[in-house]
Amino acid sequence: MNAGPQVVRAAVDAVVAWARSGRSVRDVIAANVALRQASGALRAQVSALATAAVTLAIRHEFLLAGDDGLRGLSAPARGEALVLAAAVANGAWAPEDAAAAFAAVHRSTLPFAALTAPAAAFALNASPERAFAREHSVPEWFATAALQAFGEQAAAVARALSQPAPRTLRANLLVVRDRAELVAELAAAGIATRAATYAATALHVDGDVDLFATGAYARGAFEQQDEASQVAVAAVAPPPGGKVLDLCAGNGGKTLALAAALRNRGQVLATDVHLGRLQGLRERLRRARADNVQVAAIGEHDWPEPVRTFAANADRILIDAPCSGTGSWRRRPEGRHAIDAVSLRKLVATQDDLLRRAAAVLRPGARLCYATCSLLPTENEARIDALCAADSGLERVRMVEVLGGAFGRSVADATGTFLVLRPDRHGCDGFFLAILRRR
Ligand SMILES: C[S@@+](CC[C@H](N)C(=O)[O-])C[C@H]1O[C@@H](n2cnc3c(N)ncnc32)[C@H](O)[C@@H]1O
């Protein structure tokens, strides 16, 4: 029942590389030359184990070593402890085998059997926030925010954030007619998929199959994209032939979906302050056969004249804002260890700045769409409230108006105003989208 030694070793290397460099687990695995030559299935197993190790690090460090965690251990020993702990937690290793494997290499013992401790262990000498943080392997600042925002549902949210993320694709409607055509093409290649619930373009893939080795990928028939982002693009709803400014385009996940939503007509201007990401976007545009996208670098405090002119004429300005990423911790587990109260304050300041700048150029009738993959009200509703309090010319466009009554309500907050997706309710990443219209 043990995960193979090759998988454990590669996962340990990935966790150690993450701990030393701060790079994401995904990036360190992608950069591993030996793994690049391995099968897609093996890479997927390594990725799953390393992701689980980083996801559950806070919980497992507490269970193995108390409140001081594994601080006394070297980076390789800590990485090994976390990977073996994740393998014990998912049932792949027996605690005594993990203890023996750890002792054989590091000549010290760790109580892997303690990983099955009952929930009461987390509450020992701890405030409710600290007990929640230990149990759900989240930082204490997030435990406090989640308990405040979600009350009795906070545990369900945190549990969902610790589950593996589904593998979700977006059918690229610039290449395939509809999702069904992609489903049939993948089925012919022996790949089973399931239609997703909320986005008409989304489908889930079970198992470890190497999707990037398929003919469908080579001809640009799909992109990997969480369902939440696909629903968000449907809600941005660019008008046929319209103009969209994608202000924080990154390497283009939403840009490509917007280009497809416009059926290659109209215009998308994709901007970002990060040149490397924009380069990645240019490469993705070619494969996806998107012809209606221009790309431009912008400064944090300064947009070139053509970008300002485009913004002033745009039908939609999308701000897919830099954020805590708390909603996507399933895919980016290192986020749990990277954000703190100080970095969160900086992110909020950037969000306010982006909103103010975009609102200042938004023409009457046009829509400002503000998105985050955050679960925190302070990055979401609070930012919109602050902007609308300062700018009375903006009105909220309700999600039920944009997406239709029953469907809109199924993906909106209790008032039907904002798009609010949650991993525990919708199975996709946590996501927020507000739409504002200039009167
Ligand atoms: C959430 S990511 C965007 C993800 C992307 N839209 C996608 O769908 O793949 C946020 C992006 O905002 C960019 N960013 C940060 N500060 C910015 C600013 N002041 N102006 C424009 N972009 C900014 C970051 O470089 C990052 O690429």
Side-chain angles (χ1 to χ4, degrees):
M1 88 201 237
N2 286 1
Q6 201 188 352
V7 171
V8 170
R9 194 70 9 239
V12 170
D13 288 348
V15 171
V16 173
W18 154 69
R20 285 189 168 146
S21 69
R23 284 186 304 150
S24 70
V25 173
R26 192 169 27 185
D27 285 354
V28 295
I29 288 177
N32 182 320
V33 177
L35 274 182
R36 251 187 268 156
Q37 281 147 14
S39 71
L42 188 110
R43 259 198 318 275
Q45 284 174 37
V46 172
S47 171
L49 190 55
T51 298
V54 176
T55 297
L56 298 170
I58 294 169
R59 173 188 173 104
H60 288 167
E61 292 217 5
F62 169 72
L63 292 174
L64 291 174
D67 269 326
D68 285 338
L70 300 170
R71 254 173 249 155
L73 296 184
S74 66
R78 178 172 176 259
E80 182 126 14
L82 292 177
V83 169
L84 289 170
V88 170
N90 75 15
W93 279 56
E96 54 280 13
D97 291 346
F102 185 83
V105 180
H106 299 290
R107 295 170 194 278
S108 65
T109 53
L110 283 174
F112 286 93
L115 295 172
T116 55
F122 300 108
L124 220 61
N125 302 322
S127 64
E129 291 79 14
R130 179 165 291 190
F132 186 97
R134 289 169 173 173
E135 180 173 1
H136 297 292
S137 203
V138 294
E140 262 183 73
W141 66 263
F142 179 78
T144 306
L147 286 165
Q148 209 168 24
F150 303 116
E152 285 178 354
Q153 295 168 21
V157 173
R159 268 197 300 275
L161 281 179
S162 294
Q163 298 302 311
R167 290 179 91 188
T168 309
L169 307 182
R170 176 176 59 77
N172 178 11
L173 301 188
L174 298 178
V175 174
V176 290
R177 199 176 45 255
D178 53 19
R179 172 168 68 185
E181 186 184 332
L182 177 62
V183 167
E185 182 170 351
L186 291 175
I191 299 170
T193 57
R194 294 173 287 118
T197 309
Y198 300 99
T201 45
L203 58 159
H204 302 301
V205 182
D206 295 319
D208 294 339
V209 58
D210 189 355
L211 288 163
F212 300 111
T214 60
Y217 180 73
R219 74 185 191 100
F222 67 82
E223 295 289 328
Q224 284 217 103
Q225 186 168 47
D226 187 67
E227 189 177 8
S229 293
Q230 301 187 47
V231 178
V233 168
V236 171
K243 288 185 170 188
V244 182
L245 174 59
D246 184 5
L247 198 51
C248 302
N251 64 11
K254 311 242 178 3
T255 314
L256 295 179
L258 287 163
L262 281 164
R263 307 284 166 147
N264 253 344
R265 301 198 189 91
Q267 275 179 288
V268 181
L269 177 60
T271 64
D272 201 285
V273 292
H274 195 292
L275 297 181
R277 291 186 190 138
L278 289 180
Q279 191 46 40
L281 163 57
R282 286 192 180 91
E283 284 154 25
R284 293 178 79 189
L285 285 172
R286 277 192 286 278
R287 205 181 51 80
R289 301 198 210 168
D291 303 327
N292 57 346
V293 179
Q294 270 115 48
V295 179
I298 56 173
E300 208 172 310
H301 302 294
D302 156 45
W303 300 352
E305 176 53 34
V307 173
R308 273 184 275 144
T309 306
F310 190 95
N313 291 297
D315 300 290
R316 304 281 184 270
I317 300 180
L318 170 63
I319 302 174
D320 189 19
C323 72
S324 63
T326 39
S328 57
W329 276 354
R330 299 180 307 179
R331 294 174 204 284
R332 298 192 189 87
E334 54 283 338
R336 293 173 193 245
H337 310 275
I339 303 278
D340 59 17
V342 176
S343 48
L344 189 57
R345 269 200 299 279
K346 280 194 194 150
L347 285 165
V348 165
T350 303
Q351 291 156 2
D352 282 343
D353 187 53
L354 282 162
L355 278 165
R356 270 195 307 267
R357 281 170 189 281
V361 292
L362 190 70
R363 68 168 176 77
R367 296 182 185 181
L368 173 53
C369 307
Y370 172 77
T372 72
C373 56
S374 168
L375 290 160
L376 306 174
T378 184
E379 296 184 275
N380 297 339
E381 293 87 344
R383 304 286 43 87
I384 297 303
D385 290 347
L387 179 69
C388 290
D391 185 340
S392 58
L394 293 171
E395 61 183 352
R396 295 168 180 78
V397 183
R398 284 158 50 74
M399 215 38 68
V400 289
E401 180 188 325
V402 177
L403 292 173
F407 177 58
R409 267 191 298 281
S410 73
V411 292
D413 62 354
T415 69
T417 308
F418 301 127
L419 179 74
V420 175
L421 294 166
R422 283 187 14 197
D424 56 320
R425 284 197 181 150
H426 303 94
C428 52
D429 286 354
F431 205 89
F432 174 85
L433 174 76
I435 300 187
L436 304 173
R437 182 164 42 209
R438 168 76 60 211
R439 278 191 251 261

